[in-house]
Amino acid sequence: MKRSTLFRRSPGPLETSRTGDFGYLQPGEVYLDAACQSLRPQSVIDALTDYYTTYNACGGRVKYAWGQKVDAQVADTRQAVLGLLGLSARNHAVSFTLNTTYGLNLLLHQLPLGRFDRVVTSHIEHNSVFLPTITAARRLGVERLVLDRAADGALLYEPAQLEKAVVVVNAASNIDGRLLTNLSDLVRDTHARGGIVIVDAAQAMGHARALLQKTDADALCFSAHKMYGASLGVVVARHELLASLELSFVGGGMVADVREDDFDLVQGDPGALLEPGLQAWGEIIALGRAIDWLGGIRPGGLSPAAHISALSTRLFEGLAAVPGLTLLNDAPSPVISVYAPAQDSHRLAVFLSHSQIMVRSGYFCAHHHLKERLGLPPLLRFSLGLHSTEADIDAATGALTRLMKGLS
């Protein structure tokens, strides 16, 4: 019997307007931590279960029917990723890794020595960008520039700062959701000066893909588990960037032949250069199902973008009305961070969890910007997904309002 039959529950009062794809949520459960990982629709869960229970074989290595089915579905997922971004396999390859952090490190720590003069990033980066840009600059023996971002998310730079630069920035902040609004200008100006642009697209792929479509950036790194798939990392890179790498992280799946002291890399499959060893076949297949699902979902009869936009406004206005709360956001966003100067955010998160309200507390892997630079205490973060409803938001803001009044 499939999991969907075993675990699907009847919707409760809060779920009356929730799409049935998330019918496994218990009545009263409010999950507002999609910026960490989105919930998975039932079709994605079923795809993963189907792989493990009906054709659980290795891809790329076997000739029997199960393996051939795996190969076909993995190829379909690669094409679906490119299709989602409006990119072509003629110029781009799709590689699968552990997560966004892993993909960024694979690229940054295999860049050729002597080609670049600096590494450029911004203050509002997640640690997945901030930390490997520190170590990559050390490895390359170059300076590292940390730049400001405007209120609208644009990177603030002088063209000379992009000379032979490795630019690594997020497309959407995991603190307040601001977007890299000048991405196309940044890529153009960087390329004109002999540099490359690598984008942390983890927060953008779920609800801000329009910013990334048909991009000329050299690579995008993102996580399937932030866009309704299973836990998986994805790298979409230009063939030229992959061909320039000085590979040091190698293994089976990347090679056509091996000798005592040397090896030959696989030809004709650039994506394999970032895929040493056995891959997460079921998770890759589940990503393909997530992309299919994203193409057809209409929560409440709205497009995903319109649904998230409406909920973002409701959440922003609801949190702004909570007494004693300070918002970091200046405008509605699917990701909103707040804090109460007189209260401990971790304590608030625990109290909210007693009401089945699940939110993130802390610095959200953005310690430099929030703690060192702004000097803020730990925060609360509310982040939306396509499972979210107006009832979820009202329950969360109502519970927080009662909590703040009770603690005052």
Side-chain angles (χ1 to χ4, degrees), residues 172-211:
S173 167
N174 77 315
I175 301 168
D176 55 19
R178 73 179 89 172
L179 302 176
L180 184 62
T181 51
N182 63 340
L183 173 60
S184 59
D185 291 341
L186 174 63
V187 172
R188 182 198 63 222
D189 292 343
T190 304
H191 286 172
R193 290 161 179 81
I196 61 172
V197 176
I198 299 173
V199 179
D200 167 12
Q203 295 297 335
M205 285 297 291
H207 308 120
R209 286 186 304 280
L211 177 69

Side-chain angles (χ1 to χ4, degrees), residues 2-4 8 20-22 24 37-52 55 73 77 224-232 281-295 297 386:
K2 290 186 177 180
R3 185 196 185 282
S4 57
R8 189 180 293 278
D21 293 296
F22 302 99
Y24 54 80
Q37 61 174 356
S38 56
L39 296 183
R40 283 72 170 188
Q42 192 64 50
S43 59
V44 170
I45 296 169
D46 290 344
L48 194 58
T49 301
D50 187 42
Y51 165 75
Y52 283 120
Y55 60 106
Q73 295 210 40
T77 299
H225 47 271
K226 297 182 190 291
M227 52 177 294
Y228 308 97
S231 185
L232 183 73
W281 310 116
E283 286 77 1
I284 295 168
I285 292 165
L287 172 58
R289 191 64 56 86
I291 293 172
D292 289 343
W293 177 82
L294 281 167
I297 187 66
L386 291 174

Side-chain angles (χ1 to χ4, degrees), residues 105-398:
N105 274 277
L106 278 174
L107 292 173
L108 290 172
H109 288 281
Q110 299 186 102
L111 291 173
L113 298 174
R115 174 179 166 184
F116 302 104
D117 289 347
R118 59 186 53 84
V119 173
V120 176
T121 190
S122 87
H123 286 290
I124 66 166
E125 300 303 326
H126 187 282
N127 284 341
S128 62
V129 168
F130 210 77
L131 297 178
T133 55
I134 292 173
T135 55
R138 291 172 181 168
R139 172 184 167 268
L140 294 171
V142 300
E143 66 174 335
R144 176 173 171 269
L145 300 180
V146 184
L147 304 180
D148 287 319
R149 301 277 285 269
D152 69 352
L155 184 69
L156 302 176
Y157 62 88
E158 296 294 332
Q161 294 172 317
L162 306 179
E163 192 72 31
K164 293 185 178 180
V166 179
V167 180
V168 193
V169 286
N170 67 59
S173 167
N174 77 315
I175 301 168
D176 55 19
R178 73 179 89 172
L179 302 176
L180 184 62
T181 51
N182 63 340
L183 173 60
S184 59
D185 291 341
L186 174 63
V187 172
R188 182 198 63 222
D189 292 343
T190 304
H191 286 172
R193 290 161 179 81
I196 61 172
V197 176
I198 299 173
V199 179
D200 167 12
Q203 295 297 335
M205 285 297 291
H207 308 120
R209 286 186 304 280
L211 177 69
L212 304 169
Q213 288 171 338
K214 298 185 179 180
T215 180
D216 289 325
D218 298 273
L220 305 177
C221 299
F222 59 93
S223 296
H225 47 271
K226 297 182 190 291
M227 52 177 294
Y228 308 97
S231 185
L232 183 73
V234 186
V235 177
V236 180
R238 297 186 67 86
H239 292 173
E240 294 86 350
L241 175 60
L242 293 171
S244 75
L245 298 179
E246 295 178 349
L247 296 175
S248 59
F249 197 90
V250 295
M254 295 173 59
V255 294
D257 197 12
V258 180
R259 298 171 296 283
E260 182 174 356
D261 295 311
D262 204 359
F263 55 87
D264 298 324
L265 293 171
V266 169
Q267 300 298 310
D269 184 10
L273 299 179
L274 299 181
E275 293 183 341
L278 198 70
Q279 299 303 299
W281 310 116
E283 286 77 1
I284 295 168
I285 292 165
L287 172 58
R289 191 64 56 86
I291 293 172
D292 289 343
W293 177 82
L294 281 167
I297 187 66
R298 300 279 296 179
L302 300 174
S303 69
H307 176 72
I308 292 295
S309 177
L311 292 183
S312 297
T313 298
R314 191 181 190 93
L315 178 61
F316 181 78
E317 293 174 350
L319 290 172
V322 176
L325 209 60
T326 299
L327 277 67
L328 263 67
N329 294 58
D330 296 322
S333 165
V335 181
I336 298 179
S337 294
V338 305
Y339 68 99
Q343 303 295 336
D344 178 72
S345 290
H346 296 302
R347 184 169 178 242
L348 292 176
V350 171
F351 284 148
L352 287 172
S353 74
H354 293 162
S355 298
Q356 300 190 81
I357 312 296
M358 293 171 268
V359 300
R360 177 81 177 272
S361 60
Y363 290 114
F364 328 130
C365 296
H367 298 74
H368 158 69
H369 181 64
L370 295 175
K371 185 179 181 181
E372 179 188 30
R373 198 156 183 258
L374 299 184
L376 294 174
L379 289 86
L380 285 177
R381 185 182 70 185
F382 298 74
S383 51
L384 301 169
L386 291 174
H387 69 283
S388 302
T389 66
E390 292 182 351
D392 290 343
I393 292 169
D394 293 348
T397 55

Side-chain angles (χ1 to χ4, degrees), residues 8-46:
R8 189 180 293 278
R9 304 182 180 94
S10 299
L14 279 179
E15 285 73 45
T16 53
S17 61
R18 194 192 313 282
T19 169
D21 293 296
F22 302 99
Y24 54 80
L25 283 171
Q26 292 274 24
E29 290 179 332
V30 177
Y31 181 76
L32 293 172
D33 196 19
C36 181
Q37 61 174 356
S38 56
L39 296 183
R40 283 72 170 188
Q42 192 64 50
S43 59
V44 170
I45 296 169
D46 290 344

